[in-house]
């Protein structure tokens, strides 16, 4: 079994929960409320900016030129998705640059981005890759599952096709191969930290979709007299 497969197996119950959560089930049927998807897509655009920065940081610590190119290319691809896929839905929902900038990241989005950037800045490379991996791998599995169950004329077809497509799958496999390669020379302690990082990011993936489904915002104290 590949090392990455051991991380997936250790989070299998959580992975199954992600596939069956209301956001993803309603996305597949097309029944997801447009306001909910709009909330999600804005938060996802905020997230992908931070994710790309974390990938760029990881690239500076890559073990060789091929890994540098792969991670920096993945950072570029993350920005490309933000501009193309999100641009499509932003235009559909009439979200302009000003209103996007005025919509701050939710607590879950803020925490996820902060976690990835902190990990990319101070952790060793194996842990960094394990923390970044769920955004690739979980999205691929979710995209494939939704694609297999999606209704015809689904209003979210552009999103579904992006994450179930061959190009995305190829990028995920490259990330899996790099993570396995780095894990092969990592210490036992480092491998334990890889499992912890993968599990934490996977939990945050679940929390991100759950937060989007309920359109959660920051809680503020009631200052009324």
């Amino acid at each position: 079994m590949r090392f990455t497969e051991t991380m997936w197996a250790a989070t299998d119950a959580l992975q199954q929960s992600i596939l069956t959560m209301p956001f993803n089930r309603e996305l597949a049927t097309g029944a997801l409320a447009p306001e909910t998807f709009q909330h999600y897509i804005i938060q996802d655009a905020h997230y992908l900016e931070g994710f790309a920065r974390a990938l760029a940081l990881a690239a500076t610590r890559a073990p060789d030129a091929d890994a540098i190119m792969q991670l920096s290319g993945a950072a570029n691809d993350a920005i490309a998705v933000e501009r193309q896929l999100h641009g499509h839905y932003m235009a559909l929902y009439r979200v302009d640059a000003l209103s996007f900038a005025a919509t701050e990241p939710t607590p879950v989005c803020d925490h996820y981005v902060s976690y990835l950037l902190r990990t990319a800045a101070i952790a060793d490379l194996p842990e960094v890759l394990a923390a970044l991996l769920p955004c690739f791998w979980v999205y691929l599995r979710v995209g494939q599952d939704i694609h297999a169950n999606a209704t015809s004329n689904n209003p979210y077809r552009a999103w579904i096709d992006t994450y179930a497509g061959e190009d995305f799958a190829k990028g995920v496999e490259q990330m899996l191969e790099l993570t396995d390669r780095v894990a092969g020379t990592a210490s036992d302690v480092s491998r334990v930290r890889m499992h912890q990082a993968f599990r934490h990011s996977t939990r945050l993936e679940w929390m991100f979709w759950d937060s989007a489904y309920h359109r959660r915002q920051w809680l503020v104290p009631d200052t009324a007299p």
Side-chain angles (χ1 to χ4, degrees), residues 15 20 24 30 48 51 57-58 98 104 118 120 126 146 151 174 187:
Q15 306 294 353
T20 58
N24 291 324
L48 281 177
F51 180 66
L57 280 172
L98 184 61
E104 64 181 350
R118 182 179 73 248
I146 290 176
T151 56
Q174 290 173 343
S187 67

Side-chain angles (χ1 to χ4, degrees), residues 85-104:
L85 178 63
H86 293 81
H88 165 75
Y89 285 109
M90 296 288 192
L92 182 66
Y93 295 127
R94 295 182 175 84
V95 178
D96 59 20
L98 184 61
S99 59
F100 171 73
T103 305
E104 64 181 350

